[in-house]
Amino acid sequence: MLRYLTAGESHGEYLTGILEGFPAGVKVPRAYIAAQLGRRRRAPGRGARQALETDVFEITSGMDGETTTGAPVTVLLRNRGRAAPGFSAVPRPGHADLAGMLKYGTMNASLVRERASARETAARVALGSFALKLNELLGVTINSRVVGLGRLPSIDAASAAAELLRARRAGDTLGGVFEVTAEGLPAGLGDFTQHDRRLGARLAAAMLGVNGVKGFEIGGGFALAALGGMEAAGSPELSGGLDGGMTNGRRLTLRCAVKPVPGLPGGAPSADLRTGRKALAISRTSDTSAVFAAAVVAEHAAALTLAAALLEKFGGDSLAEIKPRVDEWRRKTGKLLKNL
Ligand code: EPS
């Protein structure tokens, strides 16, 4: 079973990630992990904190040089923006602050925001880069792209940059929509025989686990609801690569809606929970939009879920054991799929 955990606070000493159940014999160059972390960190829409963080990391277990050994992999990312959590009894609306304060019985919103912060996603990307590499070596190509920003239903680099600049100047933030796709997935990953084995459900959990994601769809998604069965049957790609909770050999397409960053640079009306007096919740959040970074995080989160599903289907403790099984399965199922 492939599983992973992260730990660490946004402005704490380290972010830590542990990946367990990952096969031996997978070469994951340090430069590859660094490149993935860079994609997340340098995504458009980011604020001043990203100029400070370099996401320098260390791998302290589970690798022989640049190749995995099968033992748990530990990644440590040292934060450059380190600081004691401080104290604030004023929750920022739209963030985890209020619910987290109630839940953990604290008057200090800083204790909540330190862990709820999307800084944690750096650790997820570091671990996800192992999964992305495994997918790649098994012939599965995973990609992500932002398809909508704020009110712009489609974007290119120039229009996105202009919209981000406009929002930043106006003291506003933006949401957006991103897409994650996977090509080359063998058919039959996931399972229809139990609700929690459905790959769509597992991918939904991974996507909705990405900070700020509020909407999720597979293939035709919400638009499918308006189609007749006859119409839908003519476009099998609307299934988004999944039927009955299993991959069907087609391209996997997932879409997610990301909310605008709720912390506004100008502050938001709130209250001091100790006194009950009205107060302005000042946000240190300096990102104009999280959607570009979230797309990269989601790509890695999807890679982890797909790697888990591949390992469940094909088993094996090393890449040398797994790869021939995947190739053989592709040959066998490919012949049948060709007839359709
Ligand atoms: C975040 C707030 C900002 C972001 C941070 C996530 O940090 P700060 O409070 O220091 O301005 O930059 O994201 C990261 C540091 C990162 O590496 O993604 C938040 O509140 O979620």
PDB file of all heavy atoms in Angstrom, residues 264-304:
ATOM      1  N   LEU A 264      -7.724  39.082   2.155  1.00  0.00           N
ATOM      2  CA  LEU A 264      -7.553  40.250   1.281  1.00  0.00           C
ATOM      3  C   LEU A 264      -6.495  41.174   1.860  1.00  0.00           C
ATOM      4  O   LEU A 264      -6.447  41.384   3.080  1.00  0.00           O
ATOM      5  CB  LEU A 264      -8.888  40.985   1.134  1.00  0.00           C
ATOM      6  CG  LEU A 264      -9.989  40.138   0.488  1.00  0.00           C
ATOM      7  CD1 LEU A 264     -11.331  40.837   0.585  1.00  0.00           C
ATOM      8  CD2 LEU A 264      -9.647  39.820  -0.958  1.00  0.00           C
ATOM      9  N   PRO A 265      -5.652  41.717   0.990  1.00  0.00           N
ATOM     10  CA  PRO A 265      -4.570  42.580   1.485  1.00  0.00           C
ATOM     11  C   PRO A 265      -5.077  43.750   2.321  1.00  0.00           C
ATOM     12  O   PRO A 265      -4.414  44.187   3.258  1.00  0.00           O
ATOM     13  CB  PRO A 265      -3.898  43.091   0.207  1.00  0.00           C
ATOM     14  CG  PRO A 265      -4.370  42.209  -0.899  1.00  0.00           C
ATOM     15  CD  PRO A 265      -5.629  41.559  -0.471  1.00  0.00           C
ATOM     16  N   GLY A 266      -6.287  44.239   2.008  1.00  0.00           N
ATOM     17  CA  GLY A 266      -6.832  45.367   2.765  1.00  0.00           C
ATOM     18  C   GLY A 266      -7.486  44.965   4.076  1.00  0.00           C
ATOM     19  O   GLY A 266      -8.033  45.816   4.782  1.00  0.00           O
ATOM     20  N   GLY A 267      -7.478  43.668   4.374  1.00  0.00           N
ATOM     21  CA  GLY A 267      -8.119  43.190   5.595  1.00  0.00           C
ATOM     22  C   GLY A 267      -9.596  42.913   5.370  1.00  0.00           C
ATOM     23  O   GLY A 267     -10.172  43.341   4.368  1.00  0.00           O
ATOM     24  N   ALA A 268     -10.194  42.171   6.301  1.00  0.00           N
ATOM     25  CA  ALA A 268     -11.617  41.818   6.178  1.00  0.00           C
ATOM     26  C   ALA A 268     -12.280  41.987   7.536  1.00  0.00           C
ATOM     27  O   ALA A 268     -11.643  41.738   8.571  1.00  0.00           O
ATOM     28  CB  ALA A 268     -11.745  40.388   5.693  1.00  0.00           C
ATOM     29  N   PRO A 269     -13.569  42.412   7.572  1.00  0.00           N
ATOM     30  CA  PRO A 269     -14.241  42.604   8.855  1.00  0.00           C
ATOM     31  C   PRO A 269     -14.371  41.290   9.627  1.00  0.00           C
ATOM     32  O   PRO A 269     -14.791  40.282   9.063  1.00  0.00           O
ATOM     33  CB  PRO A 269     -15.631  43.143   8.459  1.00  0.00           C
ATOM     34  CG  PRO A 269     -15.623  43.306   6.982  1.00  0.00           C
ATOM     35  CD  PRO A 269     -14.414  42.657   6.415  1.00  0.00           C
ATOM     36  N   SER A 270     -13.989  41.335  10.892  1.00  0.00           N
ATOM     37  CA  SER A 270     -14.069  40.148  11.750  1.00  0.00           C
ATOM     38  C   SER A 270     -14.257  40.645  13.184  1.00  0.00           C
ATOM     39  O   SER A 270     -14.690  41.782  13.389  1.00  0.00           O
ATOM     40  CB  SER A 270     -12.791  39.316  11.597  1.00  0.00           C
ATOM     41  OG  SER A 270     -12.835  38.163  12.401  1.00  0.00           O
ATOM     42  N   ALA A 271     -13.920  39.826  14.164  1.00  0.00           N
ATOM     43  CA  ALA A 271     -14.037  40.234  15.569  1.00  0.00           C
ATOM     44  C   ALA A 271     -12.918  39.607  16.378  1.00  0.00           C
ATOM     45  O   ALA A 271     -12.385  38.553  16.008  1.00  0.00           O
ATOM     46  CB  ALA A 271     -15.392  39.793  16.119  1.00  0.00           C
ATOM     47  N   ASP A 272     -12.571  40.276  17.476  1.00  0.00           N
ATOM     48  CA  ASP A 272     -11.611  39.713  18.424  1.00  0.00           C
ATOM     49  C   ASP A 272     -12.409  38.757  19.316  1.00  0.00           C
ATOM     50  O   ASP A 272     -13.332  39.199  20.037  1.00  0.00           O
ATOM     51  CB  ASP A 272     -10.979  40.834  19.256  1.00  0.00           C
ATOM     52  CG  ASP A 272      -9.866  40.303  20.146  1.00  0.00           C
ATOM     53  OD1 ASP A 272     -10.074  39.250  20.794  1.00  0.00           O
ATOM     54  OD2 ASP A 272      -8.799  40.938  20.196  1.00  0.00           O
ATOM     55  N   LEU A 273     -12.104  37.472  19.262  1.00  0.00           N
ATOM     56  CA  LEU A 273     -12.920  36.488  19.972  1.00  0.00           C
ATOM     57  C   LEU A 273     -12.783  36.590  21.493  1.00  0.00           C
ATOM     58  O   LEU A 273     -13.609  36.085  22.235  1.00  0.00           O
ATOM     59  CB  LEU A 273     -12.600  35.069  19.510  1.00  0.00           C
ATOM     60  CG  LEU A 273     -13.014  34.688  18.083  1.00  0.00           C
ATOM     61  CD1 LEU A 273     -12.989  33.173  17.909  1.00  0.00           C
ATOM     62  CD2 LEU A 273     -14.387  35.218  17.691  1.00  0.00           C
ATOM     63  N   ARG A 274     -11.738  37.264  21.973  1.00  0.00           N
ATOM     64  CA  ARG A 274     -11.593  37.422  23.431  1.00  0.00           C
ATOM     65  C   ARG A 274     -12.522  38.497  23.962  1.00  0.00           C
ATOM     66  O   ARG A 274     -13.087  38.372  25.039  1.00  0.00           O
ATOM     67  CB  ARG A 274     -10.143  37.796  23.792  1.00  0.00           C
ATOM     68  CG  ARG A 274      -9.151  36.670  23.648  1.00  0.00           C
ATOM     69  CD  ARG A 274      -7.757  37.219  23.775  1.00  0.00           C
ATOM     70  NE  ARG A 274      -7.524  38.336  22.861  1.00  0.00           N
ATOM     71  CZ  ARG A 274      -6.412  39.036  22.764  1.00  0.00           C
ATOM     72  NH1 ARG A 274      -5.407  38.753  23.563  1.00  0.00           N
ATOM     73  NH2 ARG A 274      -6.284  40.017  21.899  1.00  0.00           N
ATOM     74  N   THR A 275     -12.684  39.569  23.176  1.00  0.00           N
ATOM     75  CA  THR A 275     -13.457  40.720  23.678  1.00  0.00           C
ATOM     76  C   THR A 275     -14.833  40.830  23.023  1.00  0.00           C
ATOM     77  O   THR A 275     -15.710  41.540  23.523  1.00  0.00           O
ATOM     78  CB  THR A 275     -12.705  42.027  23.367  1.00  0.00           C
ATOM     79  OG1 THR A 275     -12.572  42.117  21.931  1.00  0.00           O
ATOM     80  CG2 THR A 275     -11.330  42.045  23.999  1.00  0.00           C
ATOM     81  N   GLY A 276     -14.990  40.176  21.857  1.00  0.00           N
ATOM     82  CA  GLY A 276     -16.239  40.302  21.107  1.00  0.00           C
ATOM     83  C   GLY A 276     -16.308  41.593  20.308  1.00  0.00           C
ATOM     84  O   GLY A 276     -17.299  41.856  19.622  1.00  0.00           O
ATOM     85  N   ARG A 277     -15.268  42.422  20.388  1.00  0.00           N
ATOM     86  CA  ARG A 277     -15.288  43.690  19.641  1.00  0.00           C
ATOM     87  C   ARG A 277     -14.954  43.469  18.167  1.00  0.00           C
ATOM     88  O   ARG A 277     -14.137  42.609  17.831  1.00  0.00           O
ATOM     89  CB  ARG A 277     -14.255  44.665  20.236  1.00  0.00           C
ATOM     90  CG  ARG A 277     -14.755  45.267  21.500  1.00  0.00           C
ATOM     91  CD  ARG A 277     -14.067  46.608  21.773  1.00  0.00           C
ATOM     92  NE  ARG A 277     -14.243  46.891  23.183  1.00  0.00           N
ATOM     93  CZ  ARG A 277     -13.335  46.614  24.130  1.00  0.00           C
ATOM     94  NH1 ARG A 277     -12.168  46.117  23.801  1.00  0.00           N
ATOM     95  NH2 ARG A 277     -13.597  46.871  25.387  1.00  0.00           N
ATOM     96  N   LYS A 278     -15.577  44.287  17.338  1.00  0.00           N
ATOM     97  CA  LYS A 278     -15.290  44.212  15.896  1.00  0.00           C
ATOM     98  C   LYS A 278     -13.819  44.536  15.658  1.00  0.00           C
ATOM     99  O   LYS A 278     -13.252  45.397  16.340  1.00  0.00           O
ATOM    100  CB  LYS A 278     -16.153  45.221  15.143  1.00  0.00           C
ATOM    101  CG  LYS A 278     -17.625  44.828  15.113  1.00  0.00           C
ATOM    102  CD  LYS A 278     -18.334  45.532  13.984  1.00  0.00           C
ATOM    103  CE  LYS A 278     -19.835  45.265  13.950  1.00  0.00           C
ATOM    104  NZ  LYS A 278     -20.273  43.954  14.388  1.00  0.00           N
ATOM    105  N   ALA A 279     -13.224  43.819  14.712  1.00  0.00           N
ATOM    106  CA  ALA A 279     -11.813  44.050  14.390  1.00  0.00           C
ATOM    107  C   ALA A 279     -11.567  43.689  12.938  1.00  0.00           C
ATOM    108  O   ALA A 279     -12.336  42.925  12.344  1.00  0.00           O
ATOM    109  CB  ALA A 279     -10.920  43.204  15.295  1.00  0.00           C
ATOM    110  N   LEU A 280     -10.535  44.267  12.373  1.00  0.00           N
ATOM    111  CA  LEU A 280     -10.171  43.965  10.993  1.00  0.00           C
ATOM    112  C   LEU A 280      -9.204  42.775  11.002  1.00  0.00           C
ATOM    113  O   LEU A 280      -8.211  42.804  11.727  1.00  0.00           O
ATOM    114  CB  LEU A 280      -9.500  45.199  10.379  1.00  0.00           C
ATOM    115  CG  LEU A 280      -9.544  45.350   8.871  1.00  0.00           C
ATOM    116  CD1 LEU A 280     -10.975  45.391   8.331  1.00  0.00           C
ATOM    117  CD2 LEU A 280      -8.790  46.617   8.459  1.00  0.00           C
ATOM    118  N   ALA A 281      -9.543  41.726  10.231  1.00  0.00           N
ATOM    119  CA  ALA A 281      -8.628  40.574  10.144  1.00  0.00           C
ATOM    120  C   ALA A 281      -7.601  40.876   9.075  1.00  0.00           C
ATOM    121  O   ALA A 281      -7.909  40.906   7.884  1.00  0.00           O
ATOM    122  CB  ALA A 281      -9.408  39.320   9.777  1.00  0.00           C
ATOM    123  N   ILE A 282      -6.404  41.142   9.516  1.00  0.00           N
ATOM    124  CA  ILE A 282      -5.334  41.450   8.571  1.00  0.00           C
ATOM    125  C   ILE A 282      -4.747  40.132   8.085  1.00  0.00           C
ATOM    126  O   ILE A 282      -4.437  39.248   8.888  1.00  0.00           O
ATOM    127  CB  ILE A 282      -4.229  42.299   9.231  1.00  0.00           C
ATOM    128  CG1 ILE A 282      -4.838  43.589   9.806  1.00  0.00           C
ATOM    129  CG2 ILE A 282      -3.108  42.608   8.245  1.00  0.00           C
ATOM    130  CD1 ILE A 282      -5.414  44.545   8.777  1.00  0.00           C
ATOM    131  N   SER A 283      -4.622  40.025   6.773  1.00  0.00           N
ATOM    132  CA  SER A 283      -4.080  38.793   6.224  1.00  0.00           C
ATOM    133  C   SER A 283      -2.652  39.015   5.791  1.00  0.00           C
ATOM    134  O   SER A 283      -2.341  39.974   5.099  1.00  0.00           O
ATOM    135  CB  SER A 283      -4.916  38.362   5.023  1.00  0.00           C
ATOM    136  OG  SER A 283      -4.436  37.131   4.580  1.00  0.00           O
ATOM    137  N   ARG A 284      -1.798  38.078   6.205  1.00  0.00           N
ATOM    138  CA  ARG A 284      -0.413  38.157   5.746  1.00  0.00           C
ATOM    139  C   ARG A 284      -0.289  37.530   4.360  1.00  0.00           C
ATOM    140  O   ARG A 284       0.753  37.573   3.751  1.00  0.00           O
ATOM    141  CB  ARG A 284       0.502  37.409   6.711  1.00  0.00           C
ATOM    142  CG  ARG A 284       0.696  38.118   8.041  1.00  0.00           C
ATOM    143  CD  ARG A 284       1.598  37.283   8.923  1.00  0.00           C
ATOM    144  NE  ARG A 284       1.084  35.919   9.041  1.00  0.00           N
ATOM    145  CZ  ARG A 284       1.713  34.911   9.610  1.00  0.00           C
ATOM    146  NH1 ARG A 284       2.906  35.090  10.106  1.00  0.00           N
ATOM    147  NH2 ARG A 284       1.174  33.715   9.697  1.00  0.00           N
ATOM    148  N   THR A 285      -1.385  36.910   3.932  1.00  0.00           N
ATOM    149  CA  THR A 285      -1.345  36.216   2.645  1.00  0.00           C
ATOM    150  C   THR A 285      -1.019  37.192   1.535  1.00  0.00           C
ATOM    151  O   THR A 285      -1.673  38.211   1.372  1.00  0.00           O
ATOM    152  CB  THR A 285      -2.691  35.529   2.375  1.00  0.00           C
ATOM    153  OG1 THR A 285      -2.881  34.579   3.400  1.00  0.00           O
ATOM    154  CG2 THR A 285      -2.709  34.851   1.036  1.00  0.00           C
ATOM    155  N   SER A 286       0.004  36.829   0.785  1.00  0.00           N
ATOM    156  CA  SER A 286       0.447  37.760  -0.235  1.00  0.00           C
ATOM    157  C   SER A 286       0.264  37.196  -1.646  1.00  0.00           C
ATOM    158  O   SER A 286       0.800  37.736  -2.596  1.00  0.00           O
ATOM    159  CB  SER A 286       1.902  38.143   0.017  1.00  0.00           C
ATOM    160  OG  SER A 286       2.630  36.992   0.357  1.00  0.00           O
ATOM    161  N   ASP A 287      -0.486  36.103  -1.759  1.00  0.00           N
ATOM    162  CA  ASP A 287      -0.730  35.548  -3.090  1.00  0.00           C
ATOM    163  C   ASP A 287      -1.984  36.187  -3.677  1.00  0.00           C
ATOM    164  O   ASP A 287      -2.991  36.356  -2.987  1.00  0.00           O
ATOM    165  CB  ASP A 287      -0.922  34.028  -3.014  1.00  0.00           C
ATOM    166  CG  ASP A 287       0.334  33.301  -2.548  1.00  0.00           C
ATOM    167  OD1 ASP A 287       1.408  33.940  -2.515  1.00  0.00           O
ATOM    168  OD2 ASP A 287       0.228  32.119  -2.223  1.00  0.00           O
ATOM    169  N   THR A 288      -1.940  36.522  -4.974  1.00  0.00           N
ATOM    170  CA  THR A 288      -3.106  37.089  -5.643  1.00  0.00           C
ATOM    171  C   THR A 288      -4.061  35.977  -6.081  1.00  0.00           C
ATOM    172  O   THR A 288      -5.271  36.130  -6.069  1.00  0.00           O
ATOM    173  CB  THR A 288      -2.680  37.934  -6.862  1.00  0.00           C
ATOM    174  OG1 THR A 288      -1.757  38.915  -6.399  1.00  0.00           O
ATOM    175  CG2 THR A 288      -3.853  38.620  -7.521  1.00  0.00           C
ATOM    176  N   SER A 289      -3.485  34.857  -6.491  1.00  0.00           N
ATOM    177  CA  SER A 289      -4.316  33.697  -6.837  1.00  0.00           C
ATOM    178  C   SER A 289      -3.543  32.432  -6.529  1.00  0.00           C
ATOM    179  O   SER A 289      -2.328  32.377  -6.724  1.00  0.00           O
ATOM    180  CB  SER A 289      -4.695  33.707  -8.317  1.00  0.00           C
ATOM    181  OG  SER A 289      -5.488  32.568  -8.599  1.00  0.00           O
ATOM    182  N   ALA A 290      -4.266  31.413  -6.066  1.00  0.00           N
ATOM    183  CA  ALA A 290      -3.619  30.136  -5.759  1.00  0.00           C
ATOM    184  C   ALA A 290      -3.818  29.139  -6.895  1.00  0.00           C
ATOM    185  O   ALA A 290      -3.286  28.032  -6.838  1.00  0.00           O
ATOM    186  CB  ALA A 290      -4.192  29.579  -4.467  1.00  0.00           C
ATOM    187  N   VAL A 291      -4.564  29.533  -7.952  1.00  0.00           N
ATOM    188  CA  VAL A 291      -4.988  28.514  -8.916  1.00  0.00           C
ATOM    189  C   VAL A 291      -3.822  27.893  -9.689  1.00  0.00           C
ATOM    190  O   VAL A 291      -3.810  26.681  -9.936  1.00  0.00           O
ATOM    191  CB  VAL A 291      -6.089  29.053  -9.872  1.00  0.00           C
ATOM    192  CG1 VAL A 291      -5.599  30.147 -10.788  1.00  0.00           C
ATOM    193  CG2 VAL A 291      -6.688  27.914 -10.686  1.00  0.00           C
ATOM    194  N   PHE A 292      -2.818  28.683 -10.043  1.00  0.00           N
ATOM    195  CA  PHE A 292      -1.696  28.129 -10.820  1.00  0.00           C
ATOM    196  C   PHE A 292      -0.864  27.171  -9.956  1.00  0.00           C
ATOM    197  O   PHE A 292      -0.428  26.122 -10.420  1.00  0.00           O
ATOM    198  CB  PHE A 292      -0.814  29.256 -11.374  1.00  0.00           C
ATOM    199  CG  PHE A 292      -1.483  30.036 -12.476  1.00  0.00           C
ATOM    200  CD1 PHE A 292      -2.227  31.176 -12.188  1.00  0.00           C
ATOM    201  CD2 PHE A 292      -1.393  29.626 -13.795  1.00  0.00           C
ATOM    202  CE1 PHE A 292      -2.849  31.895 -13.196  1.00  0.00           C
ATOM    203  CE2 PHE A 292      -2.018  30.334 -14.805  1.00  0.00           C
ATOM    204  CZ  PHE A 292      -2.753  31.468 -14.516  1.00  0.00           C
ATOM    205  N   ALA A 293      -0.637  27.556  -8.704  1.00  0.00           N
ATOM    206  CA  ALA A 293       0.109  26.674  -7.798  1.00  0.00           C
ATOM    207  C   ALA A 293      -0.714  25.429  -7.480  1.00  0.00           C
ATOM    208  O   ALA A 293      -0.185  24.313  -7.457  1.00  0.00           O
ATOM    209  CB  ALA A 293       0.458  27.420  -6.517  1.00  0.00           C
ATOM    210  N   ALA A 294      -2.030  25.614  -7.280  1.00  0.00           N
ATOM    211  CA  ALA A 294      -2.904  24.478  -6.946  1.00  0.00           C
ATOM    212  C   ALA A 294      -2.915  23.452  -8.075  1.00  0.00           C
ATOM    213  O   ALA A 294      -2.981  22.241  -7.819  1.00  0.00           O
ATOM    214  CB  ALA A 294      -4.319  24.973  -6.665  1.00  0.00           C
ATOM    215  N   ALA A 295      -2.832  23.913  -9.320  1.00  0.00           N
ATOM    216  CA  ALA A 295      -2.820  22.989 -10.456  1.00  0.00           C
ATOM    217  C   ALA A 295      -1.602  22.064 -10.370  1.00  0.00           C
ATOM    218  O   ALA A 295      -1.708  20.851 -10.592  1.00  0.00           O
ATOM    219  CB  ALA A 295      -2.803  23.771 -11.768  1.00  0.00           C
ATOM    220  N   VAL A 296      -0.454  22.636 -10.011  1.00  0.00           N
ATOM    221  CA  VAL A 296       0.771  21.834  -9.897  1.00  0.00           C
ATOM    222  C   VAL A 296       0.650  20.863  -8.721  1.00  0.00           C
ATOM    223  O   VAL A 296       1.010  19.682  -8.822  1.00  0.00           O
ATOM    224  CB  VAL A 296       2.008  22.747  -9.735  1.00  0.00           C
ATOM    225  CG1 VAL A 296       3.272  21.921  -9.571  1.00  0.00           C
ATOM    226  CG2 VAL A 296       2.130  23.699 -10.927  1.00  0.00           C
ATOM    227  N   VAL A 297       0.099  21.349  -7.611  1.00  0.00           N
ATOM    228  CA  VAL A 297      -0.084  20.489  -6.433  1.00  0.00           C
ATOM    229  C   VAL A 297      -1.034  19.332  -6.786  1.00  0.00           C
ATOM    230  O   VAL A 297      -0.767  18.166  -6.473  1.00  0.00           O
ATOM    231  CB  VAL A 297      -0.659  21.297  -5.243  1.00  0.00           C
ATOM    232  CG1 VAL A 297      -0.929  20.385  -4.047  1.00  0.00           C
ATOM    233  CG2 VAL A 297       0.280  22.431  -4.862  1.00  0.00           C
ATOM    234  N   ALA A 298      -2.125  19.668  -7.485  1.00  0.00           N
ATOM    235  CA  ALA A 298      -3.126  18.654  -7.838  1.00  0.00           C
ATOM    236  C   ALA A 298      -2.537  17.606  -8.781  1.00  0.00           C
ATOM    237  O   ALA A 298      -2.862  16.415  -8.676  1.00  0.00           O
ATOM    238  CB  ALA A 298      -4.327  19.323  -8.486  1.00  0.00           C
ATOM    239  N   GLU A 299      -1.675  18.045  -9.677  1.00  0.00           N
ATOM    240  CA  GLU A 299      -1.011  17.104 -10.590  1.00  0.00           C
ATOM    241  C   GLU A 299      -0.224  16.065  -9.765  1.00  0.00           C
ATOM    242  O   GLU A 299      -0.258  14.867 -10.051  1.00  0.00           O
ATOM    243  CB  GLU A 299      -0.085  17.923 -11.494  1.00  0.00           C
ATOM    244  CG  GLU A 299       0.610  17.150 -12.570  1.00  0.00           C
ATOM    245  CD  GLU A 299       1.589  18.059 -13.325  1.00  0.00           C
ATOM    246  OE1 GLU A 299       1.253  19.220 -13.636  1.00  0.00           O
ATOM    247  OE2 GLU A 299       2.703  17.592 -13.597  1.00  0.00           O
ATOM    248  N   HIS A 300       0.444  16.534  -8.728  1.00  0.00           N
ATOM    249  CA  HIS A 300       1.228  15.632  -7.882  1.00  0.00           C
ATOM    250  C   HIS A 300       0.333  14.777  -6.989  1.00  0.00           C
ATOM    251  O   HIS A 300       0.629  13.603  -6.747  1.00  0.00           O
ATOM    252  CB  HIS A 300       2.237  16.434  -7.055  1.00  0.00           C
ATOM    253  CG  HIS A 300       3.354  16.965  -7.898  1.00  0.00           C
ATOM    254  ND1 HIS A 300       3.197  18.059  -8.724  1.00  0.00           N
ATOM    255  CD2 HIS A 300       4.620  16.532  -8.099  1.00  0.00           C
ATOM    256  CE1 HIS A 300       4.328  18.277  -9.384  1.00  0.00           C
ATOM    257  NE2 HIS A 300       5.204  17.370  -9.010  1.00  0.00           N
ATOM    258  N   ALA A 301      -0.754  15.368  -6.518  1.00  0.00           N
ATOM    259  CA  ALA A 301      -1.696  14.595  -5.689  1.00  0.00           C
ATOM    260  C   ALA A 301      -2.342  13.498  -6.540  1.00  0.00           C
ATOM    261  O   ALA A 301      -2.504  12.358  -6.082  1.00  0.00           O
ATOM    262  CB  ALA A 301      -2.755  15.527  -5.103  1.00  0.00           C
ATOM    263  N   ALA A 302      -2.687  13.821  -7.785  1.00  0.00           N
ATOM    264  CA  ALA A 302      -3.256  12.813  -8.691  1.00  0.00           C
ATOM    265  C   ALA A 302      -2.226  11.726  -8.971  1.00  0.00           C
ATOM    266  O   ALA A 302      -2.554  10.530  -9.006  1.00  0.00           O
ATOM    267  CB  ALA A 302      -3.714  13.466  -9.991  1.00  0.00           C
ATOM    268  N   ALA A 303      -0.967  12.138  -9.147  1.00  0.00           N
ATOM    269  CA  ALA A 303       0.103  11.167  -9.422  1.00  0.00           C
ATOM    270  C   ALA A 303       0.237  10.169  -8.267  1.00  0.00           C
ATOM    271  O   ALA A 303       0.438   8.971  -8.490  1.00  0.00           O
ATOM    272  CB  ALA A 303       1.429  11.882  -9.645  1.00  0.00           C
ATOM    273  N   LEU A 304       0.088  10.654  -7.032  1.00  0.00           N
ATOM    274  CA  LEU A 304       0.178   9.762  -5.868  1.00  0.00           C
ATOM    275  C   LEU A 304      -0.978   8.766  -5.863  1.00  0.00           C
ATOM    276  O   LEU A 304      -0.786   7.577  -5.608  1.00  0.00           O
ATOM    277  CB  LEU A 304       0.187  10.595  -4.575  1.00  0.00           C
ATOM    278  CG  LEU A 304       1.537  11.276  -4.267  1.00  0.00           C
ATOM    279  CD1 LEU A 304       1.362  12.469  -3.338  1.00  0.00           C
ATOM    280  CD2 LEU A 304       2.524  10.269  -3.662  1.00  0.00           C
TER     281      LEU A 304
END
